[in-house]
Amino acid sequence: MAKPLHLGFLYAPHSGHQTHDESFDPLNPIHLTSLAQDLERTGFAFLLVDDSVGHAEPARNEAFTTASFLATRTHHIGLIAAANTSYVEPYNVTRLAASLDHVTHGRAGWLVSTGVADPAGANYGQAAVAPDVHYQRADEILDIARRLWDSWEDDAFIRDKQSGVFVDGPKIHPIDHIGPSFRVKGPLNVARPPQGQVIVAHRVVDRRSADFAGRHADIAILGAETAGNIAALRDNVLAAARGVHRDEQHVRLFAEIVPFIGPDHAAGTPTTRVANHVSGTPTEIVDQIEALANAATLDGLVVAPRLLLSGLDALSRDVVPELARRQRLRSGDGSATLRERLSLARPCNIFEHKAPCQASTAA
Amino acid sequence: MSKRELHFGLMFWAGGTHPSGWRYPSSHAGAAFDIEFLQRVTRIVEAAKFDFLFLGDRLASDPSLQTTNPSQMSRLEPFVSGASLAAATSHIGIVVTANPTYYDPYNLARMFASLDHLSQGRASWNLVTGADEIAAGNFSRQGHWDTERRYDWADEFVTVVRGLWDSDAITPLHHKGRYFDVAGPLNVKRPPQGHPVILHAGTSDRSRELGARDADVIFAGQATIESAKAYYADVKSRAGKYGRKDGDIAILPGLTPVVAETTQKAVEIFDHLNSFIALEPDGDGGEASRYGSLGRMGKRRNLTAVSAAIGVDISGQDRDAAVDPVVLAEANEDGQRLFADVTRLTRRDVKGRNRLTYRDLIIGHISTGAVVVGDPNEVADHIQLWFDERAADGFNIFPPYVPESVEAFASLVVPELQRRGLYRTDYSGSTFRDHLGLAKPAPILANASSL
């Protein structure tokens, strides 16, 4: 029997993917809360809070503050916040992600984006640079982040009121990173995240992003219009993973889909007939989702409706229940963290040498 | 003009602001990463109508802080805590500490604008320039910037951030300055408060000037009413230069209250807390570790250090023994002040039934900031005196142990201050600016730097 699928949801009110929906104000905390709670109730594994640091209409809130707010308003759904490696200090973004993992009790993720997807250097006094330079910076920041997340061993805290010993000093490690763009001494000032390492996601649209996802990502979101192209991106991601001796079983592969539901849906019908634009009645849409997932051997789908709320209504009312009825919706029952939900092991700490361990991502 | 009223903030350190507060029996030693605990403590002070909850920050960690400032060694990133708090509260202001030295103005302007939208007008920026030398090593810097450089940078940084908050598609920023080149506009709508409330702390000349020009709330660490009055008068007169009125800035010094139903119980709690402080053997040598709450460099925790400070050699004395009255008689001016302070806090003296000990002198010597120990009336008297004498417009409350000292202040001192008509019994608005009685600023459309 075909395996059940994970569902993710892309919240990206500023991108070309989602046209402005008058009934939804992206700055409004009540609207954001109902969106996240609806997705959680429907059975989505995670919500991707996308972001942009360049010009964006409509205005909306920064992703990590949004996700931290939603952490308190939700209980099970993964919250994956975007941050752009071209415009942040590694120490700052690393502790944002680690802290989000603490306040969600292990439901956090970081959607890594780069200046290639969001050219906003003019807001940072930066000259335009080649795509490869953006990705070199991203590579270095991911290496720094992983070591900073591990800089406190899980049992570094003693907190013994009797003796007054608060921490076990030797279990706290400087990282002493010296690289082409950054020098970071460490340690981080945040305890190791509940998931060990925060889930890393990346949107894959070309060879360069596929390479990056293969090296670093737990979740690769494949964005292409035909099943063939999606499969090609998948192959590139897996080849890149093998290239750094990562077990390809440790990468979860998703395709981005744009649903057009119902014959008279307000969003109309797709302009062109492409595989990741799924359309028709709920039954037809589920047929198309299954076909796509089977053709490209996917672990799940990231839904990015053109109209945020009306798209979501139809999805939760008809499409997701149909997927569940066919036993193709993976439930989150029994999993506490996003990592567990995705069946990914909690990685060992690179600073611990007690027992041999298999890291799930490249060190 | 409306009646002057007290303002309160709560300085949240997960283990309490006392260095050994986490060891107090009812404290939650693992509170630093427990967001539900922070939310619970914040609801206590929101029910007590506090103006704000204060989230401090440092941009580095060092295991050696464990005996002095364990709560500052590691904690949640304050925007993450602040946004999680916004989701769990409805009125209280949320103060997030952020250091321009290690941030980018575009990112910081977005973070605060977002927090202000998510909290519906309760965001606030505690602007620090960071005296922490080790932070430079985490941010690819060759070395720690000196004070002038940090403040020059911060001055332009604040101008850019305010400009971004006011920017829109029609009036993007186009800032080109000495340190920053920022096109804008910000891609988050103008915050509900216009500009989130700005806090600043510090005593240096540059810091007073920045505070007088840019801060809505200033918190300071003066330990005595005399120094606090001088500071208050100085900052408010400097603010006049920038066209600001007295009521435009609230000056809220730190205050550590140890309060219980009776004076005797309060002193017992104070002694209990101090009993956890690890003292050092007498003698010089070794490096003094950072001590206290405002980043001051520490003093040795022994009688050698006390001897040097008071001008009488008492090293080697039995720490639990009563202090010989001769020591007080021979002590210098600093020593006289130390004895008076220890007596004020412990109610112990060199004569009478309750004798102060050499140990009390060590504890008194290493303490920083203003501390008050007593029953609800005594603590309220202290607060009222500082308020009436214009040493303070209110206080940033430093809870020595959490949550019990927060509960004690809220349930014992707050009602007494309300009875005296000094403090609100309910919020009159829903934004942080409302609590401070500050209007929403008009946008600075003609950004000076862009025209």
Side-chain angles (χ1 to χ4, degrees), chain A residues 142-195:
Chain A
L142 262 290
D143 288 340
I144 294 168
R146 294 206 180 280
R147 296 175 69 211
L148 283 174
W149 286 331
D150 278 353
S151 62
W152 289 65
E153 293 184 27
D154 289 315
D155 54 355
F157 285 97
I158 311 265
R159 297 180 183 126
D160 179 23
K161 288 187 180 185
Q162 283 308 310
S163 64
V165 176
F166 195 71
V167 293
D168 188 353
K171 291 187 172 167
I172 304 165
H173 306 275
I175 69 163
D176 292 317
H177 172 89
I178 299 174
S181 300
F182 302 103
R183 299 165 69 98
V184 180
K185 178 138 184 57
L188 198 63
N189 53 5
V190 182
R192 193 167 190 241
Q195 296 184 96

Coordinates of all heavy atoms in Angstrom, one line a residue, chain A residues 142-195:
Chain A
L142 N 24.9 27.8 8.2 CA 24.3 26.5 8.7 C 25.4 25.7 9.5 O 25.0 25.1 10.5 CB 23.8 25.7 7.5 CG 22.3 25.8 7.2 CD1 21.5 25.1 8.3 CD2 21.8 27.2 7.1
D143 N 26.6 25.7 9.0 CA 27.7 25.0 9.8 C 27.8 25.7 11.2 O 27.9 24.9 12.2 CB 29.0 25.1 9.1 CG 29.0 24.2 7.8 OD1 28.2 23.3 7.8 OD2 29.8 24.4 6.9
I144 N 27.8 27.0 11.3 CA 27.9 27.7 12.6 C 26.7 27.3 13.4 O 26.8 27.0 14.6 CB 27.9 29.2 12.3 CG1 29.2 29.6 11.6 CG2 27.8 29.9 13.7 CD1 29.3 31.0 11.1
A145 N 25.5 27.4 12.8 CA 24.2 27.2 13.6 C 24.2 25.8 14.2 O 23.9 25.6 15.4 CB 23.0 27.4 12.7
R146 N 24.6 24.8 13.5 CA 24.6 23.4 14.0 C 25.5 23.2 15.2 O 25.2 22.5 16.1 CB 24.9 22.4 12.9 CG 23.8 22.4 11.8 CD 23.7 21.1 11.1 NE 22.7 21.1 10.1 CZ 21.4 20.9 10.3 NH1 20.9 20.7 11.5 NH2 20.5 21.0 9.3
R147 N 26.7 23.9 15.1 CA 27.6 23.7 16.2 C 27.2 24.5 17.4 O 27.3 24.1 18.5 CB 29.0 24.1 15.7 CG 29.5 23.1 14.6 CD 30.8 23.5 14.0 NE 31.9 23.3 15.0 CZ 33.0 24.0 15.0 NH1 33.1 25.0 14.2 NH2 33.9 23.8 15.9
L148 N 26.6 25.7 17.1 CA 26.1 26.5 18.3 C 24.9 25.8 19.0 O 24.8 25.8 20.2 CB 25.6 27.9 17.8 CG 26.7 28.9 17.5 CD1 26.1 30.2 16.9 CD2 27.5 29.2 18.8
W149 N 24.0 25.1 18.2 CA 22.9 24.4 18.8 C 23.5 23.3 19.7 O 22.9 22.9 20.7 CB 22.0 23.8 17.7 CG 21.1 24.8 17.1 CD1 20.7 26.0 17.6 CD2 20.6 24.8 15.8 NE1 19.9 26.6 16.7 CE2 19.8 25.9 15.6 CE3 20.7 23.8 14.7 CZ2 19.1 26.2 14.3 CZ3 20.0 24.1 13.5 CH2 19.3 25.3 13.3
D150 N 24.6 22.7 19.3 CA 25.2 21.6 20.1 C 26.2 22.1 21.2 O 26.7 21.3 21.9 CB 26.0 20.7 19.2 CG 25.1 19.7 18.5 OD1 23.9 19.6 18.8 OD2 25.6 18.9 17.6
S151 N 26.4 23.5 21.3 CA 27.4 24.0 22.2 C 27.1 23.7 23.6 O 28.0 23.7 24.5 CB 27.7 25.4 21.9 OG 26.6 26.3 22.1
W152 N 25.8 23.5 24.0 CA 25.5 23.1 25.3 C 25.0 21.6 25.2 O 24.1 21.3 24.5 CB 24.3 23.9 25.9 CG 24.7 25.3 26.2 CD1 25.0 26.3 25.3 CD2 24.7 25.9 27.5 NE1 25.3 27.4 26.0 CE2 25.1 27.2 27.3 CE3 24.4 25.4 28.8 CZ2 25.2 28.1 28.4 CZ3 24.5 26.3 29.8 CH2 24.9 27.7 29.6
E153 N 25.7 20.7 25.9 CA 25.3 19.3 25.9 C 24.0 19.2 26.6 O 23.6 20.1 27.4 CB 26.3 18.4 26.5 CG 27.6 18.4 25.7 CD 28.7 17.4 26.3 OE1 28.3 16.4 27.0 OE2 29.9 17.6 26.0
D154 N 23.2 18.2 26.3 CA 21.9 18.0 26.9 C 21.9 18.1 28.4 O 20.9 18.6 29.0 CB 21.2 16.7 26.4 CG 20.8 16.8 24.9 OD1 20.3 17.9 24.5 OD2 21.1 15.9 24.2
D155 N 22.9 17.5 29.0 CA 22.9 17.4 30.4 C 23.9 18.5 31.0 O 24.5 18.2 32.1 CB 23.3 16.0 30.9 CG 24.5 15.5 30.3 OD1 25.1 16.2 29.4 OD2 25.0 14.4 30.7
A156 N 24.1 19.6 30.4 CA 25.0 20.6 30.9 C 24.5 21.3 32.1 O 25.2 21.8 32.9 CB 25.3 21.7 29.8
F157 N 23.2 21.3 32.3 CA 22.6 21.9 33.5 C 22.5 21.0 34.6 O 22.0 19.9 34.5 CB 21.2 22.5 33.2 CG 21.2 23.7 32.3 CD1 21.0 23.6 30.9 CD2 21.4 25.0 32.9 CE1 21.0 24.8 30.2 CE2 21.4 26.1 32.1 CZ 21.2 26.0 30.8
I158 N 23.0 21.4 35.8 CA 23.0 20.5 37.0 C 21.9 21.1 37.9 O 21.0 20.4 38.3 CB 24.3 20.6 37.8 CG1 25.5 20.3 36.8 CG2 24.2 19.7 39.0 CD1 26.0 19.0 36.7
R159 N 21.9 22.4 38.1 CA 20.8 23.1 38.9 C 20.6 22.4 40.2 O 19.5 22.2 40.6 CB 19.5 23.1 38.1 CG 19.6 23.9 36.8 CD 18.2 23.8 36.1 NE 18.2 24.5 34.8 CZ 17.8 23.9 33.6 NH1 17.4 22.6 33.7 NH2 17.8 24.6 32.5
D160 N 21.7 22.2 40.9 CA 21.5 21.5 42.2 C 21.5 22.6 43.3 O 22.5 23.2 43.6 CB 22.7 20.6 42.5 CG 22.6 19.9 43.8 OD1 21.5 19.8 44.4 OD2 23.6 19.5 44.4
K161 N 20.3 22.8 43.9 CA 20.1 23.8 44.9 C 21.0 23.6 46.1 O 21.4 24.6 46.7 CB 18.6 23.9 45.3 CG 17.7 24.5 44.2 CD 16.3 24.7 44.8 CE 15.4 25.3 43.7 NZ 14.1 25.6 44.3
Q162 N 21.2 22.3 46.5 CA 22.0 22.0 47.7 C 23.4 22.5 47.5 O 23.9 23.2 48.4 CB 21.9 20.5 47.9 CG 20.6 20.0 48.6 CD 20.2 20.8 49.8 OE1 21.1 21.0 50.7 NE2 19.0 21.3 49.9
S163 N 24.0 22.1 46.4 CA 25.5 22.4 46.3 C 25.7 23.7 45.6 O 26.8 24.3 45.7 CB 26.1 21.3 45.4 OG 25.5 21.4 44.1
G164 N 24.6 24.3 45.0 CA 24.8 25.6 44.3 C 25.5 25.4 43.0 O 25.8 26.4 42.4
V165 N 25.7 24.2 42.5 CA 26.3 24.0 41.2 C 25.1 24.2 40.1 O 24.2 23.4 40.1 CB 27.0 22.7 41.0 CG1 27.5 22.5 39.6 CG2 28.1 22.6 42.1
F166 N 25.3 25.1 39.2 CA 24.2 25.4 38.3 C 24.5 24.7 36.9 O 23.6 24.1 36.3 CB 24.1 26.9 38.0 CG 22.8 27.3 37.3 CD1 21.6 27.3 38.0 CD2 22.8 27.8 36.0 CE1 20.4 27.6 37.4 CE2 21.7 28.2 35.4 CZ 20.5 28.1 36.1
V167 N 25.7 24.7 36.5 CA 26.1 24.1 35.2 C 27.3 23.2 35.4 O 28.1 23.4 36.3 CB 26.3 25.1 34.1 CG1 25.0 25.8 33.7 CG2 27.4 26.1 34.4
D168 N 27.5 22.3 34.4 CA 28.7 21.5 34.4 C 29.6 22.1 33.3 O 29.4 21.8 32.1 CB 28.3 20.1 34.0 CG 29.4 19.1 34.1 OD1 30.6 19.6 34.3 OD2 29.2 17.9 34.0
G169 N 30.5 23.0 33.7 CA 31.3 23.8 32.7 C 31.9 23.0 31.5 O 31.7 23.5 30.4
P170 N 32.5 21.9 31.7 CA 33.1 21.1 30.6 C 32.0 20.6 29.6 O 32.4 20.2 28.5 CB 33.7 19.9 31.3 CG 34.0 20.4 32.7 CD 32.9 21.3 33.0
K171 N 30.8 20.7 29.9 CA 29.8 20.3 28.9 C 29.2 21.5 28.1 O 28.2 21.4 27.4 CB 28.6 19.6 29.6 CG 29.1 18.3 30.1 CD 28.0 17.4 30.7 CE 28.5 16.1 31.0 NZ 27.6 15.3 31.8
I172 N 29.9 22.7 28.3 CA 29.5 23.8 27.5 C 30.8 24.2 26.6 O 31.9 24.4 27.1 CB 29.2 25.0 28.4 CG1 28.1 24.6 29.4 CG2 28.8 26.3 27.6 CD1 27.9 25.5 30.6
H173 N 30.5 24.2 25.3 CA 31.7 24.3 24.4 C 31.7 25.5 23.5 O 30.7 25.9 22.8 CB 31.6 23.1 23.4 CG 31.5 21.8 24.1 ND1 32.6 21.1 24.6 CD2 30.4 21.0 24.5 CE1 32.2 20.0 25.2 NE2 30.9 19.9 25.1
P174 N 32.9 26.2 23.5 CA 33.0 27.2 22.5 C 33.1 26.5 21.1 O 33.5 25.4 21.1 CB 34.4 27.9 22.9 CG 35.1 27.0 23.8 CD 34.0 26.0 24.4
I175 N 32.7 27.2 20.1 CA 32.8 26.6 18.7 C 34.0 27.1 18.0 O 34.5 26.4 17.0 CB 31.5 26.7 17.9 CG1 31.3 28.2 17.5 CG2 30.3 26.2 18.7 CD1 30.3 28.3 16.3
D176 N 34.6 28.2 18.3 CA 35.8 28.8 17.7 C 35.7 28.7 16.2 O 36.7 28.3 15.5 CB 37.0 28.1 18.2 CG 37.3 28.4 19.7 OD1 37.2 29.6 20.1 OD2 37.6 27.4 20.5
H177 N 34.6 29.2 15.6 CA 34.5 29.2 14.1 C 35.3 30.3 13.5 O 35.1 31.5 13.9 CB 33.0 29.3 13.7 CG 32.8 29.4 12.3 ND1 32.7 28.4 11.4 CD2 32.8 30.5 11.5 CE1 32.6 28.8 10.2 NE2 32.6 30.1 10.2
I178 N 36.1 30.0 12.6 CA 36.8 31.1 11.8 C 36.6 30.7 10.3 O 37.1 29.7 9.8 CB 38.3 31.2 12.1 CG1 38.4 31.6 13.6 CG2 38.9 32.2 11.2 CD1 39.9 31.6 14.0
G179 N 35.7 31.4 9.6 CA 35.4 31.1 8.2 C 35.6 32.3 7.3 O 36.0 33.3 7.7
P180 N 35.2 32.1 6.0 CA 35.4 33.2 5.0 C 34.6 34.4 5.4 O 35.1 35.5 5.2 CB 35.0 32.6 3.7 CG 34.5 31.2 4.0 CD 34.8 30.8 5.4
S181 N 33.4 34.3 5.9 CA 32.6 35.4 6.2 C 32.4 35.7 7.7 O 32.1 36.9 8.1 CB 31.2 35.3 5.6 OG 31.2 35.1 4.2
F182 N 32.6 34.8 8.5 CA 32.3 34.9 10.0 C 33.3 34.4 10.9 O 34.0 33.4 10.6 CB 30.9 34.3 10.3 CG 29.8 34.8 9.5 CD1 29.3 34.0 8.4 CD2 29.2 36.0 9.7 CE1 28.2 34.5 7.6 CE2 28.2 36.5 9.0 CZ 27.7 35.7 7.9
R183 N 33.4 35.0 12.1 CA 34.2 34.5 13.2 C 33.2 34.4 14.4 O 32.7 35.5 14.8 CB 35.4 35.4 13.5 CG 36.4 35.6 12.4 CD 37.3 36.8 12.7 NE 38.2 36.5 13.8 CZ 39.4 36.1 13.7 NH1 39.9 35.9 12.5 NH2 40.2 35.9 14.7
V184 N 33.0 33.3 14.9 CA 32.0 33.1 16.0 C 32.6 32.2 17.0 O 33.0 31.0 16.8 CB 30.7 32.5 15.5 CG1 29.7 32.3 16.7 CG2 30.1 33.3 14.4
K185 N 32.8 32.8 18.2 CA 33.5 32.0 19.3 C 32.6 31.0 20.0 O 33.0 29.9 20.3 CB 34.1 33.0 20.3 CG 34.8 32.4 21.5 CD 36.1 33.1 21.8 CE 36.9 32.5 22.9 NZ 37.2 31.1 22.6
G186 N 31.3 31.5 20.3 CA 30.5 30.6 21.1 C 30.9 30.6 22.5 O 31.8 31.3 22.9
P187 N 30.2 29.8 23.4 CA 29.0 29.0 23.1 C 27.8 29.9 22.8 O 27.8 31.1 23.1 CB 28.9 28.2 24.3 CG 29.4 29.0 25.4 CD 30.5 29.8 24.8
L188 N 26.7 29.2 22.4 CA 25.4 29.9 22.3 C 25.0 30.2 23.8 O 25.5 29.7 24.7 CB 24.4 29.0 21.7 CG 23.1 29.7 21.1 CD1 23.5 30.7 20.0 CD2 22.1 28.7 20.6
N189 N 24.0 31.2 23.9 CA 23.5 31.5 25.3 C 22.1 30.9 25.5 O 21.3 31.4 26.2 CB 23.5 33.0 25.5 CG 22.8 33.7 24.4 OD1 22.2 33.1 23.5 ND2 22.8 35.0 24.5
V190 N 21.9 29.8 24.7 CA 20.6 29.1 24.8 C 20.9 27.6 25.0 O 21.8 27.0 24.4 CB 19.7 29.3 23.6 CG1 18.4 28.6 23.7 CG2 19.6 30.7 23.2
A191 N 20.1 26.9 25.9 CA 20.3 25.5 26.1 C 20.0 24.7 24.8 O 19.3 25.3 23.9 CB 19.3 25.0 27.2
R192 N 20.6 23.5 24.6 CA 20.4 22.8 23.4 C 18.9 22.7 23.1 O 18.1 22.4 24.0 CB 21.0 21.4 23.5 CG 21.1 20.7 22.2 CD 22.0 19.4 22.3 NE 22.3 18.9 21.0 CZ 21.9 17.7 20.6 NH1 21.3 16.8 21.4 NH2 22.2 17.3 19.3
P193 N 18.5 22.9 21.9 CA 17.0 22.8 21.6 C 16.4 21.4 21.9 O 17.1 20.4 21.8 CB 17.0 23.0 20.0 CG 18.3 23.7 19.7 CD 19.3 23.2 20.7
P194 N 15.1 21.4 22.2 CA 14.5 20.1 22.5 C 14.7 19.0 21.4 O 14.9 17.9 21.7 CB 13.0 20.4 22.7 CG 13.0 21.9 23.1 CD 14.2 22.5 22.5
Q195 N 14.7 19.5 20.2 CA 14.9 18.5 19.1 C 16.4 18.2 18.8 O 16.7 17.6 17.9 CB 14.3 19.1 17.8 CG 12.8 19.3 17.8 CD 12.2 19.7 16.5 OE1 11.7 18.9 15.7 NE2 12.2 21.0 16.2

